[in-house]
């Protein structure tokens, strides 16, 4: 394969870059921009970014897309409520989403805004016409219960006590002439994609859920609404300007708009048609759109469906779903500003459950991050580098097989397997298990006694094994906590023989996490007590001047509850 792609980082150890680079197109959902981003979407961004970084690390070609769903009626209603023009509200909030790139250390390659991106309308227009040419669009009368929050019609039996199950609001009754998509025609084909594994849905219980929905019988869906009901906001239906496209039709189209499907650009061929993986990362509330409607639309248009859909659960605060409309949002930018992007990323990847909602609190963040990153990892690295300075003038002894060699050789493949199943918790846990094993090795080999006894070869072997472990860990952490991994890399002297003086790589967040962020302590010199666990306080330093962040440092209470 040819073409531009990131150069893989050098890999220490025996693992080789796979013979063939896979080509992976990875997307997040595009959120409505009726409000600022909340932590739930940060979860999705961080998961997708960790996957993208991981694949790039392994030498795959990756393109990561995110963006915003601007054409929703709910954006229009939010703008009306705020007394501003829709375009203005949408831009203001979309900028906040785009700003998460720097705040959460994200590496998306593209950011699409569906109301302003010139690639979008030609693309969804083409998709519409392709489905029309296949005989799958027709006009009809529609009457049903519509939740604007979801931008979705509900059957009466899907409501919970008459309320939308997502928003706990009463849906409105809508009756109008609409365009319809012949979803019913694709019932067997979409079910076949899922049962054959051509379209993989992870976790597996969500695949069963989708299949049960499909087997219940797919009805044709309304895919437009009147210009009046849309308040003139949205993408016009080709050849029928009195109607605008149903926002979901247009939103799902973003995944290929961003590849210039509309103009038949090379990117579409390269990153959609010829990609090894077309992966969507989404929240569980929008599974039906991605696993049923979207594949059916693509099959109708004669285009390949996605290959994988990874479905995450929700974050809660005090047991309630995180949501602006429910009044309990957590600002991910402020949380990252306060604790560091690495701390937030680590919590999201290491702690969030794959099959149930996870409750976020600042205490849980600290309780997860400090033991892993400050204690286990921070101590391993500082005691390792400290001992190399104490006993070998900072020069790393020649690498040998070492007692942890087998574990280190297996680690990348084990992480690959975990992330192939989108299992971030296991991937992060594997790294920490390795750190724990290395800390045990220090306690068991007691290098300071080897030094005292003059057992040079044994001491060199232990130190080399520890440095090698720390370097492997730094590489495997780089998709998860990239800034910390870069700090580890420089603390470990890259691949060089000479290590720089010991500096704490990660400062504890707690216990006083409500207090002012402290400056990092002075670097600890080589006089640090070898082999002894060190503690430090404060929080990680940031690159760049303090004032370069948009928002002031948030006061206590970046988590607000209803
Ligand atoms: Zn709803």
């Amino acid at each position: 394969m040819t073409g531009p792609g990131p150069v893989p980082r050098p890999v220490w150890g025996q693992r080789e870059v796979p013979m063939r680079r896979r080509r992976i197109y990875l997307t997040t959902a595009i959120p409505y921009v009726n409000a600022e981003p909340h932590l739930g979407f940060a979860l999705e961004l961080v998961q997708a970014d960790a996957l993208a970084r991981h694949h790039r690390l392994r030498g795959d070609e990756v393109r990561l897309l995110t963006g915003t769903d601007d054409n929703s009626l709910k954006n229009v209603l939010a703008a009306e409520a705020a007394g501003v023009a829709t375009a203005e509200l949408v831009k203001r909030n979309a900028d906040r989403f785009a700003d998460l790139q720097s705040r959460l250390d994200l590496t998306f390659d593209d950011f699409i805004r569906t109301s302003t991106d010139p690639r979008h309308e030609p693309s969804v227009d083409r998709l519409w016409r392709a489905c029309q040419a296949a005989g799958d669009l027709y006009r009809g009368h529609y009457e049903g219960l519509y939740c604007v929050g979801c931008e979705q019609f509900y059957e009466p039996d899907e409501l919970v006590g008459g309320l939308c199950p997502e928003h706990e609001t009463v849906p409105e009754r809508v009756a109008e002439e609409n365009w319809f998509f012949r979803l019913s025609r694709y019932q067997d084909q979409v079910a076949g994609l899922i049962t054959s594994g051509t379209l993989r849905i992870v976790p597996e219980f969500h695949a069963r859920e989708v299949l049960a929905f499909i087997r219940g019988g797919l009805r044709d869906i309304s895919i437009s609404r009147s210009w009046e009901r849309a308040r003139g906001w949205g993408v016009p239906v080709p050849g029928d300007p009195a109607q605008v496209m149903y926002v979901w039709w247009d939103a799902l189209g973003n995944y290929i708009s961003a590849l210039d499907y509309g103009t038949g650009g090379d990117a579409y061929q390269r990153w959609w048609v010829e990609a090894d993986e077309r992966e969507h990362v989404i929240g569980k509330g929008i599974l039906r759109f991605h696993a049923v409607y979207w594949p059916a639309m693509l099959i109708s248009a004669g285009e390949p469906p996605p290959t994988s859909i990874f479905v995450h659960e929700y974050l809660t605060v005090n047991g309630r779903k995180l949501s602006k409309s429910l009044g309990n949002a957590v600002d991910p930018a402020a949380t990252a500003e306060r604790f560091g992007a690495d701390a937030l990323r680590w919590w999201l990847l290491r702690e969030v459950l794959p099959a149930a909602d996870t409750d976020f609190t600042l205490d849980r963040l600290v309780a997860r991050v400090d033991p892993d990153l400050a204690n286990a990892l921070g101590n391993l690295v500082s005691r390792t580098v400290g001992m190399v300075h104490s006993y070998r003038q900072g020069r790393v002894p020649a690498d040998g097989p070492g007692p942890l060699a087998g574990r280190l050789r297996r680690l990348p493949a084990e992480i690959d397997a975990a992330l192939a199943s989108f299992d971030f918790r296991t991937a992060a846990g594997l790294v920490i298990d390795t750190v724990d094993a290395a800390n045990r090795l220090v306690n068991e080999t007691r290098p300071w006694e080897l030094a005292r006894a003059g057992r040079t070869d044994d001491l060199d072997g232990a130190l080399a094994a520890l440095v090698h472990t720390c370097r492997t860990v730094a590489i495997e952490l780089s998709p998860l906590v990239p800034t910390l991994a870069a700090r580890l890399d420089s603390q470990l002297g890259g691949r060089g023989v000479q290590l720089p003086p010991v500096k704490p790589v990660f400062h504890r967040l707690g216990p006083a996490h409500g207090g002012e962020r402290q400056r990092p302590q002075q670097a600890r010199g080589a006089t640090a007590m070898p082999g002894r666990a060190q503690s430090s306080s404060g929080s990680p330093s940031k690159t760049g001047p303090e004032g370069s962040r948009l928002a002031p440092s948030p006061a206590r209470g970046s988590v607000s509850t209803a």
Side-chain angles (χ1 to χ4, degrees):
M1 294 202 179
T2 58
V7 177
R9 281 184 49 166
V11 176
W12 290 281
Q14 293 80 353
R15 190 175 187 283
E16 288 168 9
V17 171
M19 294 289 287
R20 183 177 160 279
R21 302 178 79 193
R22 292 193 307 151
R23 191 178 295 163
I24 299 168
Y25 182 52
L26 200 53
T27 73
T28 69
I30 51 171
Y32 299 133
V33 283
N34 59 323
E36 295 163 5
H38 63 58
L39 194 64
F41 189 60
L43 168 67
E44 187 166 312
L45 286 169
V46 167
Q47 288 175 329
D49 181 67
L51 288 172
R53 287 177 180 270
H54 173 78
H55 289 304
R56 291 189 202 111
L57 176 67
R58 297 294 193 247
D60 294 328
E61 290 182 273
V62 178
R63 186 178 172 99
L64 174 59
L65 170 72
T66 188
T68 54
D69 182 357
D70 295 356
N71 294 328
S72 164
L73 179 57
K74 101 190 221 178
N75 297 338
V76 179
L77 299 180
E80 281 178 5
V84 297
T86 305
E88 187 187 327
L89 178 101
V90 162
K91 180 179 186 321
R92 187 197 302 162
N93 286 324
D95 287 347
R96 296 289 303 272
F97 281 86
D99 183 46
L100 291 176
Q101 172 144 37
S102 60
R103 286 162 176 269
L104 300 179
D105 253 343
L106 306 171
T107 55
F108 46 79
D109 300 289
D110 197 358
F111 187 97
I112 186 166
R113 285 191 51 198
T114 56
S115 66
T116 56
D117 197 304
R119 300 169 298 180
H120 186 61
E121 195 169 320
S123 177
V124 291
D125 196 278
R126 182 178 171 195
L127 186 62
W128 183 284
R129 290 176 196 276
C131 294
Q132 197 161 35
D136 286 333
L137 305 191
Y138 63 92
R139 279 194 77 120
H141 179 76
Y142 197 85
E143 200 169 333
L145 297 166
Y146 196 78
C147 172
V148 177
C150 294
E151 297 280 14
Q152 179 183 352
F153 282 105
Y154 279 101
E155 296 297 327
D157 63 1
E158 292 177 313
L159 301 177
V160 178
L163 304 178
C164 165
E166 287 284 317
H167 293 93
E168 300 168 25
T169 51
V170 182
E172 67 176 302
R173 177 156 290 282
V174 169
E176 63 185 26
E177 282 283 305
N178 285 162
W179 285 91
F180 282 73
F181 173 64
R182 264 185 233 287
L183 183 65
S184 55
R185 178 185 275 184
Y186 296 97
Q187 177 162 332
D188 294 342
Q189 281 181 75
V190 175
L193 287 178
I194 297 167
T195 53
S196 67
T198 308
L199 170 55
R200 191 169 65 114
I201 299 172
V202 181
E204 212 271 330
F205 69 90
H206 282 305
R208 291 196 295 274
E209 180 189 309
V210 170
L211 285 171
F213 171 72
I214 294 173
R215 284 170 184 149
L218 292 184
R219 267 174 279 193
D220 295 349
I221 53 169
S222 161
I223 55 161
S224 73
R225 56 179 181 247
S226 70
W227 191 87
E228 289 79 19
R229 189 157 71 86
R231 311 282 212 279
W233 183 253
V235 181
V237 166
D240 186 357
Q243 297 266 313
V244 301
M245 291 182 192
Y246 174 39
V247 67
W248 266 105
W249 181 281
D250 129 51
L252 289 164
N254 95 87
Y255 301 129
I256 56 177
S257 300
L259 300 175
D260 251 341
Y261 168 74
T263 56
D266 293 344
Y268 180 69
Q269 194 64 25
R270 176 176 179 77
W271 288 103
W272 190 265
V273 178
E274 294 171 5
D276 295 287
E277 298 289 348
R278 297 176 287 274
E279 296 186 344
H280 300 308
V281 178
I282 61 166
K284 63 183 171 182
I286 56 175
L287 176 58
R288 186 181 301 177
F289 296 95
H290 285 80
V292 181
Y293 301 175
W294 176 230
M297 289 159 64
L298 288 163
I299 298 168
S300 169
E303 305 296 340
T307 60
S308 301
I309 298 172
F310 167 64
V311 187
H312 64 77
E313 302 290 305
Y314 290 147
L315 297 179
T316 59
V317 168
N318 298 323
R320 297 286 311 261
K321 187 181 145 191
L322 274 168
S323 154
K324 280 284 172 189
S325 55
L326 296 179
N328 65 342
V330 172
D331 178 356
T335 309
E337 171 71 20
R338 190 163 166 201
F339 296 103
D342 285 327
L344 180 57
R345 287 176 66 110
W346 185 253
W347 188 84
L348 292 169
L349 295 167
R350 166 93 154 123
E351 185 91 343
V352 170
L353 301 167
D357 293 349
T358 304
D359 207 42
F360 175 84
T361 67
L362 296 184
D363 287 339
R364 288 195 68 177
L365 174 78
V366 172
R368 179 81 267 170
V369 169
D370 275 352
D372 286 351
L373 302 185
N375 299 355
L377 176 66
N379 285 332
L380 174 66
V381 173
S382 55
R383 70 208 299 207
T384 296
V385 177
M387 288 189 290
V388 172
H389 279 287
S390 294
Y391 306 129
R392 290 292 176 263
Q393 295 78 48
R395 292 183 65 80
V396 182
D399 206 346
L404 296 174
R407 176 186 280 272
L408 297 180
R409 214 170 18 247
R410 286 191 307 274
L411 182 64
E414 288 170 351
I415 291 175
D416 288 351
L419 292 183
S421 305
F422 304 93
D423 187 349
F424 304 97
R425 286 183 107 214
T426 296
L430 283 162
V431 179
I432 291 301
D433 289 349
T434 305
V435 168
D436 289 343
N439 275 320
R440 281 196 303 275
L441 181 71
V442 175
N443 298 339
E444 286 158 11
T445 56
R446 306 173 77 80
W448 51 96
E449 289 184 3
L450 299 176
R452 211 177 302 136
R455 292 167 58 187
T456 307
D457 288 351
D458 291 341
L459 176 61
D460 282 351
L463 295 181
L466 291 170
V467 172
H468 181 51
T469 304
C470 290
R471 285 174 170 172
T472 303
V473 161
I475 293 167
E476 296 304 329
L477 281 177
S478 65
L480 311 179
V481 281
T483 303
L484 171 58
R487 210 156 48 234
L488 289 172
D489 188 53
S490 75
Q491 173 68 92
L492 295 160
R495 280 200 286 179
V497 171
Q498 184 66 39
L499 301 186
V502 186
K503 281 199 292 197
V505 290
F506 194 90
H507 296 274
R508 291 181 61 83
L509 306 178
H513 59 78
E516 284 298 299
R517 186 150 63 79
Q518 294 170 29
R519 303 304 306 167
Q521 289 187 334
Q522 279 304 101
R524 286 161 194 275
T527 52
M529 188 67 154
R532 281 277 303 274
Q534 298 168 11
S535 66
S536 51
S537 61
S539 56
S541 63
K542 297 265 171 43
T543 53
E546 284 295 288
S548 67
R549 303 272 164 164
L550 288 180
S553 218
R556 187 177 185 81
S558 64
V559 177
S560 62
T561 53

